[in-house]
Amino acid sequence: MSTTEIPESGTRGRTRRAILGAAASVLARDRGATLADIAEAADVGRSTLHRYFPDRRELMNAVVEDSLEAMGRSVAAAAIDDGPPLEAMRRLVAALVDVGDRIMFLWGDPRVLAEHTPHANPGDPECEGDEPFTDDPVLRLIERGQAEGVFDPDVRPAWIQHVLWAMIYTGVEDADKGVLPRHGVTATVIRTFENGILARR
């Protein structure tokens, strides 16, 4: 079993999750942070961190995978296949803002994902392209909203999705810089997003 496959249960699982969460938070703000910086943020010793992740490359791979999974869980928890499209979209924005550190880590530096090949993950913008991931729940929501006359039908679903990711990232980043109050990110993203993508009456 590799160090990235330590079971997510008991003390070992809690310690591993603490390291991964701390690494995402620290590296989102300082790409040059050392393993010692990450160990301190996770409240573990350097030797403990090395027992889980022997080197920086293995830690980075694990943090990318864990961050993508965290985003996937947030999308799933938002239950965006249920209810009116506009309400579902608002739940999605709130859910993704809640994992803002992971979003900043993944998309704050293009090298993070360029050096990693993640597994296909519904809701992950890296799974998109001219041929979008066929089981992407976010694209399904956008297409459903367009079909119901809620979202602008003259804009490509993938374009709307890319705009959504960009706005969420910007909101989270502004909150981190103190430009925007953290409690106001979701409302600001929703207001700006809806002003741009709702169907014209």
Side-chain angles (χ1 to χ4, degrees), residues 17-35:
R17 290 191 294 274
I19 293 170
L20 292 173
S25 180
V26 170
L27 292 169
R29 294 161 177 82
D30 179 8
R31 300 294 169 177
T34 65
L35 294 182

Side-chain angles (χ1 to χ4, degrees), residues 2-200:
S2 77
T3 54
T4 58
E5 294 173 337
I6 296 172
E8 294 282 322
S9 61
T11 302
R12 289 175 68 84
R14 287 193 297 274
T15 300
R16 183 173 187 272
R17 290 191 294 274
I19 293 170
L20 292 173
S25 180
V26 170
L27 292 169
R29 294 161 177 82
D30 179 8
R31 300 294 169 177
T34 65
L35 294 182
D37 295 329
I38 293 168
E40 181 179 359
D43 199 24
V44 300
R46 178 86 179 264
S47 60
T48 298
L49 187 149
H50 277 291
R51 283 201 298 273
Y52 287 80
F53 307 101
D55 57 47
R56 188 181 183 88
R57 181 69 261 162
E58 190 158 355
L59 174 61
M60 286 293 290
N61 280 332
V63 179
V64 169
E65 290 291 342
D66 190 63
S67 295
L68 290 169
E69 290 168 7
M71 287 184 61
R73 288 193 298 271
S74 288
V75 171
I80 59 176
D81 285 332
D82 302 333
L86 192 56
E87 292 180 10
M89 183 63 76
R90 291 169 179 170
R91 291 197 303 273
L92 174 65
V93 171
L96 290 175
V97 168
D98 283 345
V99 289
D101 278 358
R102 303 310 185 108
I103 289 173
M104 288 178 60
F105 166 71
L106 288 171
W107 288 284
D109 182 343
R111 292 171 296 182
V112 170
L113 286 170
E115 296 172 358
H116 180 82
T117 305
H119 300 300
N121 184 58
D124 167 22
E126 292 302 308
C127 293
E128 302 161 18
D130 292 333
E131 296 297 329
F133 186 68
T134 56
D135 192 32
D136 185 330
V138 178
L139 281 176
R140 283 203 311 269
L141 169 60
I142 293 168
E143 290 166 351
R144 179 164 68 90
Q146 289 178 317
E148 294 182 18
V150 178
F151 302 148
D152 189 343
D154 296 325
V155 181
R156 286 191 311 118
W159 172 264
I160 293 177
Q161 187 176 33
H162 291 156
V163 170
L164 173 66
W165 292 123
M167 286 188 179
I168 291 173
Y169 180 91
T170 301
V172 169
E173 184 180 50
D174 277 2
D176 191 64
K177 293 177 179 177
V179 176
L180 185 68
R182 188 163 295 276
H183 67 269
V185 173
T186 296
T188 299
V189 171
I190 288 172
R191 181 172 64 251
T192 308
F193 186 67
E194 291 181 1
N195 283 341
I197 60 92
L198 292 185
R200 300 304 175 198

